[in-house]
């Protein structure tokens, strides 16, 4: 388990992290989210002892990194997607780290295979693509079978196939009971990847907890030529006590909260009302973030992106 308690880091007049408190549980993938400059990397560096806190504590399994007995067995961390020596091959790179941690060469072979790098193993890393570098870094972090993984922007630069692979891979590691914290400033990138989130901005905590609880239940967009009558039926129905919320969004479309798509379809059928389309809208992390910041605009230095566009930029 990762515990961050009243953690603060100041660089001169800049407060990178301010009185930050949160925990990261094992067995789930936790997203560490916030715009550029929010303090994600600084916090992760404090967790791995690369930066010392101004005040507060950052511990892993109850101890600061420097006091762990076998740090590489406990924590695997990835910070920079180009950290390998360009003249080394992937195999050389892993062998150097394996030797430092006291792991056998067979572990190197195993990881190259696990991360689908066997074919590229004897090529120099200067020619590696971003996705290959990300895999190599992940392999390096995994050398000591760590219980805790800290990955700084692991999805950066991955193509859709790479994202799918990363998602499956992190899920497997979490299912094995590991503690996984991944940072990102690209919300849509991690939406499908994480169970829990810790959201920070300007070094301060905005929210923490399961994404499903923070983002709220999904809404259903209904397209019906009988939208008015369907609205009356929905409002008069009683799913779990409270009737669903119905909002007309124009063009014969309704946005319904509090009843799922099958429930709406069954109700419409029972009243012989036509439904042409039902779309479940899962709440986006982007909306969660905007709600948390009260729709305040981000400044020019803070970029928080979704897949379609840069979310907001102040003027
Ligand atoms: N070594 C340093 N010296 C001075 N200021 C620093 C240093 N490291 C970080 N900062 C400042 O601390 C703040 C937080 O930076 P940090 O890199 O932790 O943000 P981040 O959330 O990782 O951002 P990004 O999404 O861009 O990676 C920024 O204002 C940054 O300029
Ligand atoms: Mg960063």
């Amino acid at each position: 388990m990762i515990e961050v308690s009243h953690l603060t880091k100041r660089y001169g007049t800049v407060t990178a992290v301010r009185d930050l408190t949160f925990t990261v549980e094992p067995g789930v993938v936790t997203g560490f989210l916030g715009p550029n400059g929010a303090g994600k990397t600084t916090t992760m560096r404090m967790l791995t002892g690369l930066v010392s806190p101004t005040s507060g504590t950052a511990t892993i399994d109850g101890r600061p990194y420097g006091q762990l007995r076998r740090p590489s067995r406990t924590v695997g961390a990835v910070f920079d997607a180009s950290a390998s020596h360009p003249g080394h091959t992937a195999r050389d790179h892993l062998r150097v780290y394996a030797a430092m941690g006291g792991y056998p060469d067979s572990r190197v072979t195993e990881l190259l295979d696990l991360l689908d790098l066997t074919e590229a193993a004897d090529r120099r890393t200067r020619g590696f693509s971003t996705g290959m570098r990300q895999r190599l870094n992940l392999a390096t972090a995994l050398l000591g079978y760590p219980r805790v993984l800290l990955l700084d922007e692991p999805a950066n630069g991955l193509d859709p196939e790479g994202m799918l692979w990363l998602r499956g891979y992190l899920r497997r590691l979490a299912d094995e009971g590991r503690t996984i914290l991944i940072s990102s400033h690209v919300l849509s990138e991690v939406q499908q990847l994480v169970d829990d989130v810790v959201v920070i901005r300007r070094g301060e905590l905005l929210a923490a907890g399961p994404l499903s609880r923070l983002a709220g239940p999904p809404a259903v967009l209904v397209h019906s030529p009988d939208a008015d009558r369907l609205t009356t039926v929905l409002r008069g129905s009683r799913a779990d006590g409270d009737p669903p919320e119905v909002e007309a969004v124009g063009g014969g479309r309704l946005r319904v909260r509090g009843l799922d798509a099958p429930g709406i379809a069954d109700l419409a059928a029972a009243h012989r009302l036509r439904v042409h389309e039902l779309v479940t809208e899962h709440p986006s992390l982007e909306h969660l973030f905007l709600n948390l910041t009260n729709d305040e605009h981000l400044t020019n230095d803070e970029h928080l992106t979704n897949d379609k566009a840069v979310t907001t930029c102040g003027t």
Side-chain angles (χ1 to χ4, degrees):
M1 178 153 106
I2 297 172
E3 284 176 287
V4 167
S5 176
H6 299 291
L7 193 64
T8 295
K9 178 67 191 181
R10 278 191 287 273
Y11 290 107
T13 56
V14 175
T15 303
V17 174
R18 189 191 303 266
D19 197 26
L20 194 58
T21 298
F22 65 86
T23 57
V24 181
E25 303 289 336
V28 289
V29 180
T30 302
F32 191 28
L33 312 175
N36 291 139
K40 304 178 295 293
T41 300
T42 305
T43 302
M44 291 174 114
R45 285 186 177 277
M46 287 193 275
L47 275 163
T48 46
L50 295 167
V51 164
S52 48
T54 304
S55 60
T57 56
T59 61
I60 290 164
D61 291 347
R63 293 165 186 245
Y65 188 86
Q67 288 172 26
L68 292 171
R69 237 176 283 137
R70 293 284 313 265
S72 74
R73 280 235 183 261
T74 312
V75 189
V78 172
F79 281 101
D80 192 337
S82 55
S84 57
H85 188 293
H88 283 178
T89 67
R91 196 188 304 277
D92 294 338
H93 170 84
L94 285 174
R95 276 191 176 149
V96 168
Y97 281 87
M100 289 194 304
Y103 307 109
D105 271 2
S106 58
R107 178 66 180 151
V108 169
T109 312
E110 192 178 296
L111 280 166
L112 286 167
D113 186 41
L114 204 64
L115 292 165
D116 217 4
L117 283 169
T118 302
E119 261 179 53
D122 298 307
R123 279 167 49 190
R124 294 185 202 285
T125 63
R126 74 160 61 89
F128 272 24
S129 70
T130 311
M132 288 159 82
R133 282 177 212 283
Q134 294 280 28
R135 280 169 207 242
L136 181 58
N137 279 322
L138 202 48
T140 315
L142 289 168
L143 269 168
Y145 308 91
R147 287 195 304 279
V148 177
L149 267 179
L150 297 171
L151 310 178
D152 195 17
E153 307 265 355
N156 228 354
L158 291 189
D159 58 16
E161 198 189 334
M163 284 296 297
L164 203 65
W165 171 85
L166 183 67
R167 191 196 307 176
Y169 197 70
L170 292 180
R171 176 65 48 216
R172 230 170 75 203
L173 293 170
D175 288 346
E176 289 169 4
R178 292 173 214 279
T179 305
I180 301 174
L181 185 65
I182 62 166
S183 77
S184 181
H185 67 283
V186 185
L187 299 183
S188 63
E189 182 177 88
V190 291
Q191 170 112 37
Q192 309 294 325
L193 220 70
V194 302
D195 308 295
D196 288 5
V197 291
V198 173
V199 189
I200 65 168
R201 186 185 180 196
R202 295 180 188 158
E204 293 180 289
L205 187 74
L206 285 180
L211 180 57
S212 54
R213 176 166 61 75
L214 291 171
V220 182
L221 194 67
V222 187
H223 185 201
S224 165
D226 304 319
D228 289 346
R229 280 159 63 208
L230 184 58
T231 301
T232 310
V233 166
L234 284 164
R235 286 189 177 141
S237 72
R238 296 217 166 194
D240 307 315
D242 281 330
E245 262 175 56
V246 186
E247 177 198 351
V249 290
R253 286 184 167 77
L254 307 171
R255 181 167 285 115
V256 182
R257 287 189 176 80
L259 189 60
D260 60 9
I264 296 167
D266 288 351
L267 207 58
H271 289 81
R272 305 181 66 82
L273 299 174
R274 292 167 297 166
V275 169
H276 287 178
E277 197 176 18
L278 286 165
V279 181
T280 303
E281 299 178 320
H282 290 280
S284 72
L285 268 175
E286 187 200 4
H287 277 120
L288 168 68
F289 189 86
L290 290 175
N291 286 340
L292 289 170
T293 52
N294 296 321
D295 295 354
E296 240 180 84
H297 284 291
L298 304 181
T299 66
N300 274 329
D301 297 338
E302 296 178 304
H303 291 285
L304 186 80
T305 59
N306 67 7
D307 50 350
K308 293 180 194 83
V310 170
T311 306
T312 44
C313 278
T315 45

PDB file of all heavy atoms in Angstrom, residues 11 14-16 34-43 152-153 185 200, ligand 1:
ATOM      1  N   TYR A  11      10.021  24.289  -4.100  1.00  0.00           N
ATOM      2  CA  TYR A  11      11.272  24.617  -4.790  1.00  0.00           C
ATOM      3  C   TYR A  11      11.357  26.140  -4.774  1.00  0.00           C
ATOM      4  O   TYR A  11      10.668  26.783  -5.561  1.00  0.00           O
ATOM      5  CB  TYR A  11      11.230  24.151  -6.241  1.00  0.00           C
ATOM      6  CG  TYR A  11      11.277  22.655  -6.431  1.00  0.00           C
ATOM      7  CD1 TYR A  11      10.139  21.953  -6.812  1.00  0.00           C
ATOM      8  CD2 TYR A  11      12.467  21.942  -6.245  1.00  0.00           C
ATOM      9  CE1 TYR A  11      10.188  20.586  -7.011  1.00  0.00           C
ATOM     10  CE2 TYR A  11      12.512  20.571  -6.447  1.00  0.00           C
ATOM     11  CZ  TYR A  11      11.373  19.902  -6.828  1.00  0.00           C
ATOM     12  OH  TYR A  11      11.414  18.550  -7.028  1.00  0.00           O
ATOM     13  N   VAL A  14       8.254  28.190  -5.569  1.00  0.00           N
ATOM     14  CA  VAL A  14       7.233  27.332  -6.179  1.00  0.00           C
ATOM     15  C   VAL A  14       6.858  26.199  -5.221  1.00  0.00           C
ATOM     16  O   VAL A  14       7.729  25.485  -4.737  1.00  0.00           O
ATOM     17  CB  VAL A  14       7.758  26.701  -7.497  1.00  0.00           C
ATOM     18  CG1 VAL A  14       6.745  25.722  -8.076  1.00  0.00           C
ATOM     19  CG2 VAL A  14       8.121  27.774  -8.498  1.00  0.00           C
ATOM     20  N   THR A  15       5.564  26.070  -4.937  1.00  0.00           N
ATOM     21  CA  THR A  15       5.117  24.923  -4.149  1.00  0.00           C
ATOM     22  C   THR A  15       4.591  23.882  -5.131  1.00  0.00           C
ATOM     23  O   THR A  15       3.521  24.035  -5.703  1.00  0.00           O
ATOM     24  CB  THR A  15       4.026  25.332  -3.138  1.00  0.00           C
ATOM     25  OG1 THR A  15       4.567  26.376  -2.317  1.00  0.00           O
ATOM     26  CG2 THR A  15       3.624  24.166  -2.256  1.00  0.00           C
ATOM     27  N   ALA A  16       5.390  22.840  -5.347  1.00  0.00           N
ATOM     28  CA  ALA A  16       5.030  21.822  -6.346  1.00  0.00           C
ATOM     29  C   ALA A  16       3.955  20.899  -5.798  1.00  0.00           C
ATOM     30  O   ALA A  16       3.077  20.449  -6.528  1.00  0.00           O
ATOM     31  CB  ALA A  16       6.269  21.027  -6.737  1.00  0.00           C
ATOM     32  N   GLY A  34      -3.966  14.850 -13.231  1.00  0.00           N
ATOM     33  CA  GLY A  34      -3.923  16.294 -13.050  1.00  0.00           C
ATOM     34  C   GLY A  34      -3.236  16.921 -14.240  1.00  0.00           C
ATOM     35  O   GLY A  34      -2.480  16.247 -14.942  1.00  0.00           O
ATOM     36  N   PRO A  35      -3.509  18.195 -14.489  1.00  0.00           N
ATOM     37  CA  PRO A  35      -2.905  18.846 -15.649  1.00  0.00           C
ATOM     38  C   PRO A  35      -1.389  18.994 -15.517  1.00  0.00           C
ATOM     39  O   PRO A  35      -0.819  18.704 -14.465  1.00  0.00           O
ATOM     40  CB  PRO A  35      -3.585  20.218 -15.682  1.00  0.00           C
ATOM     41  CG  PRO A  35      -4.186  20.420 -14.342  1.00  0.00           C
ATOM     42  CD  PRO A  35      -4.402  19.077 -13.736  1.00  0.00           C
ATOM     43  N   ASN A  36      -0.759  19.447 -16.580  1.00  0.00           N
ATOM     44  CA  ASN A  36       0.690  19.680 -16.560  1.00  0.00           C
ATOM     45  C   ASN A  36       1.047  20.568 -15.369  1.00  0.00           C
ATOM     46  O   ASN A  36       0.372  21.554 -15.105  1.00  0.00           O
ATOM     47  CB  ASN A  36       1.160  20.386 -17.838  1.00  0.00           C
ATOM     48  CG  ASN A  36       1.053  19.499 -19.065  1.00  0.00           C
ATOM     49  OD1 ASN A  36       0.663  19.963 -20.124  1.00  0.00           O
ATOM     50  ND2 ASN A  36       1.384  18.240 -18.928  1.00  0.00           N
ATOM     51  N   GLY A  37       2.102  20.186 -14.672  1.00  0.00           N
ATOM     52  CA  GLY A  37       2.579  21.004 -13.559  1.00  0.00           C
ATOM     53  C   GLY A  37       1.808  20.808 -12.263  1.00  0.00           C
ATOM     54  O   GLY A  37       2.024  21.521 -11.289  1.00  0.00           O
ATOM     55  N   ALA A  38       0.905  19.820 -12.221  1.00  0.00           N
ATOM     56  CA  ALA A  38       0.066  19.612 -11.033  1.00  0.00           C
ATOM     57  C   ALA A  38       0.862  19.063  -9.848  1.00  0.00           C
ATOM     58  O   ALA A  38       0.456  19.212  -8.699  1.00  0.00           O
ATOM     59  CB  ALA A  38      -1.082  18.658 -11.360  1.00  0.00           C
ATOM     60  N   GLY A  39       1.999  18.408 -10.146  1.00  0.00           N
ATOM     61  CA  GLY A  39       2.817  17.851  -9.069  1.00  0.00           C
ATOM     62  C   GLY A  39       2.856  16.331  -9.053  1.00  0.00           C
ATOM     63  O   GLY A  39       3.314  15.729  -8.081  1.00  0.00           O
ATOM     64  N   LYS A  40       2.427  15.696 -10.139  1.00  0.00           N
ATOM     65  CA  LYS A  40       2.374  14.230 -10.187  1.00  0.00           C
ATOM     66  C   LYS A  40       3.777  13.617 -10.119  1.00  0.00           C
ATOM     67  O   LYS A  40       4.049  12.756  -9.296  1.00  0.00           O
ATOM     68  CB  LYS A  40       1.673  13.754 -11.487  1.00  0.00           C
ATOM     69  CG  LYS A  40       0.281  14.321 -11.666  1.00  0.00           C
ATOM     70  CD  LYS A  40      -0.358  13.861 -12.974  1.00  0.00           C
ATOM     71  CE  LYS A  40       0.328  14.354 -14.235  1.00  0.00           C
ATOM     72  NZ  LYS A  40       0.245  15.807 -14.456  1.00  0.00           N
ATOM     73  N   THR A  41       4.651  14.087 -11.025  1.00  0.00           N
ATOM     74  CA  THR A  41       6.007  13.521 -11.070  1.00  0.00           C
ATOM     75  C   THR A  41       6.746  13.807  -9.761  1.00  0.00           C
ATOM     76  O   THR A  41       7.421  12.928  -9.215  1.00  0.00           O
ATOM     77  CB  THR A  41       6.780  14.099 -12.275  1.00  0.00           C
ATOM     78  OG1 THR A  41       6.078  13.755 -13.460  1.00  0.00           O
ATOM     79  CG2 THR A  41       8.189  13.543 -12.347  1.00  0.00           C
ATOM     80  N   THR A  42       6.580  15.008  -9.236  1.00  0.00           N
ATOM     81  CA  THR A  42       7.251  15.358  -7.978  1.00  0.00           C
ATOM     82  C   THR A  42       6.810  14.412  -6.861  1.00  0.00           C
ATOM     83  O   THR A  42       7.635  13.919  -6.086  1.00  0.00           O
ATOM     84  CB  THR A  42       6.934  16.827  -7.605  1.00  0.00           C
ATOM     85  OG1 THR A  42       7.306  17.655  -8.699  1.00  0.00           O
ATOM     86  CG2 THR A  42       7.687  17.257  -6.363  1.00  0.00           C
ATOM     87  N   THR A  43       5.519  14.133  -6.784  1.00  0.00           N
ATOM     88  CA  THR A  43       5.007  13.221  -5.754  1.00  0.00           C
ATOM     89  C   THR A  43       5.592  11.822  -5.937  1.00  0.00           C
ATOM     90  O   THR A  43       6.042  11.186  -4.980  1.00  0.00           O
ATOM     91  CB  THR A  43       3.457  13.143  -5.835  1.00  0.00           C
ATOM     92  OG1 THR A  43       2.937  14.455  -5.674  1.00  0.00           O
ATOM     93  CG2 THR A  43       2.886  12.229  -4.761  1.00  0.00           C
ATOM     94  N   ASP A 152       5.102   6.658 -14.333  1.00  0.00           N
ATOM     95  CA  ASP A 152       4.829   8.059 -14.659  1.00  0.00           C
ATOM     96  C   ASP A 152       4.518   8.160 -16.151  1.00  0.00           C
ATOM     97  O   ASP A 152       5.396   7.939 -16.984  1.00  0.00           O
ATOM     98  CB  ASP A 152       6.058   8.909 -14.288  1.00  0.00           C
ATOM     99  CG  ASP A 152       5.730  10.396 -14.237  1.00  0.00           C
ATOM    100  OD1 ASP A 152       4.535  10.750 -14.164  1.00  0.00           O
ATOM    101  OD2 ASP A 152       6.679  11.205 -14.273  1.00  0.00           O
ATOM    102  N   GLU A 153       3.307   8.468 -16.479  1.00  0.00           N
ATOM    103  CA  GLU A 153       2.823   8.628 -17.860  1.00  0.00           C
ATOM    104  C   GLU A 153       3.167   7.418 -18.748  1.00  0.00           C
ATOM    105  O   GLU A 153       3.755   7.567 -19.814  1.00  0.00           O
ATOM    106  CB  GLU A 153       3.397   9.906 -18.488  1.00  0.00           C
ATOM    107  CG  GLU A 153       3.180  11.163 -17.663  1.00  0.00           C
ATOM    108  CD  GLU A 153       1.938  11.967 -18.053  1.00  0.00           C
ATOM    109  OE1 GLU A 153       1.269  11.612 -19.050  1.00  0.00           O
ATOM    110  OE2 GLU A 153       1.625  12.929 -17.337  1.00  0.00           O
ATOM    111  N   HIS A 185      -1.789  12.991 -17.733  1.00  0.00           N
ATOM    112  CA  HIS A 185      -2.511  14.257 -17.889  1.00  0.00           C
ATOM    113  C   HIS A 185      -3.505  14.134 -19.038  1.00  0.00           C
ATOM    114  O   HIS A 185      -4.189  15.082 -19.385  1.00  0.00           O
ATOM    115  CB  HIS A 185      -1.543  15.425 -18.102  1.00  0.00           C
ATOM    116  CG  HIS A 185      -0.812  15.362 -19.408  1.00  0.00           C
ATOM    117  ND1 HIS A 185       0.245  14.511 -19.613  1.00  0.00           N
ATOM    118  CD2 HIS A 185      -1.010  16.020 -20.560  1.00  0.00           C
ATOM    119  CE1 HIS A 185       0.670  14.661 -20.848  1.00  0.00           C
ATOM    120  NE2 HIS A 185      -0.074  15.566 -21.453  1.00  0.00           N
ATOM    121  N   ILE A 200      -5.266  15.638  -8.703  1.00  0.00           N
ATOM    122  CA  ILE A 200      -4.634  16.795  -8.058  1.00  0.00           C
ATOM    123  C   ILE A 200      -4.557  17.961  -9.037  1.00  0.00           C
ATOM    124  O   ILE A 200      -4.651  17.792 -10.260  1.00  0.00           O
ATOM    125  CB  ILE A 200      -3.214  16.480  -7.511  1.00  0.00           C
ATOM    126  CG1 ILE A 200      -2.230  16.143  -8.639  1.00  0.00           C
ATOM    127  CG2 ILE A 200      -3.253  15.362  -6.496  1.00  0.00           C
ATOM    128  CD1 ILE A 200      -0.774  16.113  -8.164  1.00  0.00           C
TER     129      ILE A 200
HETATM  130  N1  LIG B   1      13.503  20.428  -9.746  1.00  0.00           N
HETATM  131  C1  LIG B   1      12.583  21.396  -9.794  1.00  0.00           C
HETATM  132  N2  LIG B   1      12.926  22.692  -9.560  1.00  0.00           N
HETATM  133  C2  LIG B   1      12.000  23.671  -9.581  1.00  0.00           C
HETATM  134  N3  LIG B   1      10.695  23.482  -9.832  1.00  0.00           N
HETATM  135  C3  LIG B   1      10.283  22.230 -10.065  1.00  0.00           C
HETATM  136  C4  LIG B   1      11.196  21.123 -10.069  1.00  0.00           C
HETATM  137  N4  LIG B   1      10.495  20.000 -10.327  1.00  0.00           N
HETATM  138  C5  LIG B   1       9.218  20.377 -10.501  1.00  0.00           C
HETATM  139  N5  LIG B   1       9.085  21.713 -10.353  1.00  0.00           N
HETATM  140  C6  LIG B   1       7.824  22.476 -10.445  1.00  0.00           C
HETATM  141  O1  LIG B   1       6.861  21.830  -9.665  1.00  0.00           O
HETATM  142  C7  LIG B   1       5.583  21.855 -10.287  1.00  0.00           C
HETATM  143  C8  LIG B   1       5.060  20.436 -10.438  1.00  0.00           C
HETATM  144  O2  LIG B   1       5.819  19.768 -11.429  1.00  0.00           O
HETATM  145  P1  LIG B   1       5.632  18.220 -11.787  1.00  0.00           P
HETATM  146  O3  LIG B   1       6.655  17.868 -12.780  1.00  0.00           O
HETATM  147  O4  LIG B   1       5.593  17.440 -10.520  1.00  0.00           O
HETATM  148  O5  LIG B   1       4.180  18.231 -12.449  1.00  0.00           O
HETATM  149  P2  LIG B   1       3.436  17.076 -13.259  1.00  0.00           P
HETATM  150  O6  LIG B   1       2.087  16.979 -12.657  1.00  0.00           O
HETATM  151  O7  LIG B   1       4.276  15.868 -13.300  1.00  0.00           O
HETATM  152  O8  LIG B   1       3.284  17.720 -14.707  1.00  0.00           O
HETATM  153  P3  LIG B   1       3.329  17.017 -16.191  1.00  0.00           P
HETATM  154  O9  LIG B   1       1.932  16.563 -16.492  1.00  0.00           O
HETATM  155  O10 LIG B   1       3.720  18.142 -17.077  1.00  0.00           O
HETATM  156  O11 LIG B   1       4.323  15.913 -16.166  1.00  0.00           O
HETATM  157  C9  LIG B   1       5.777  22.598 -11.587  1.00  0.00           C
HETATM  158  O12 LIG B   1       5.421  23.947 -11.375  1.00  0.00           O
HETATM  159  C10 LIG B   1       7.253  22.467 -11.857  1.00  0.00           C
HETATM  160  O13 LIG B   1       7.730  23.552 -12.600  1.00  0.00           O
END
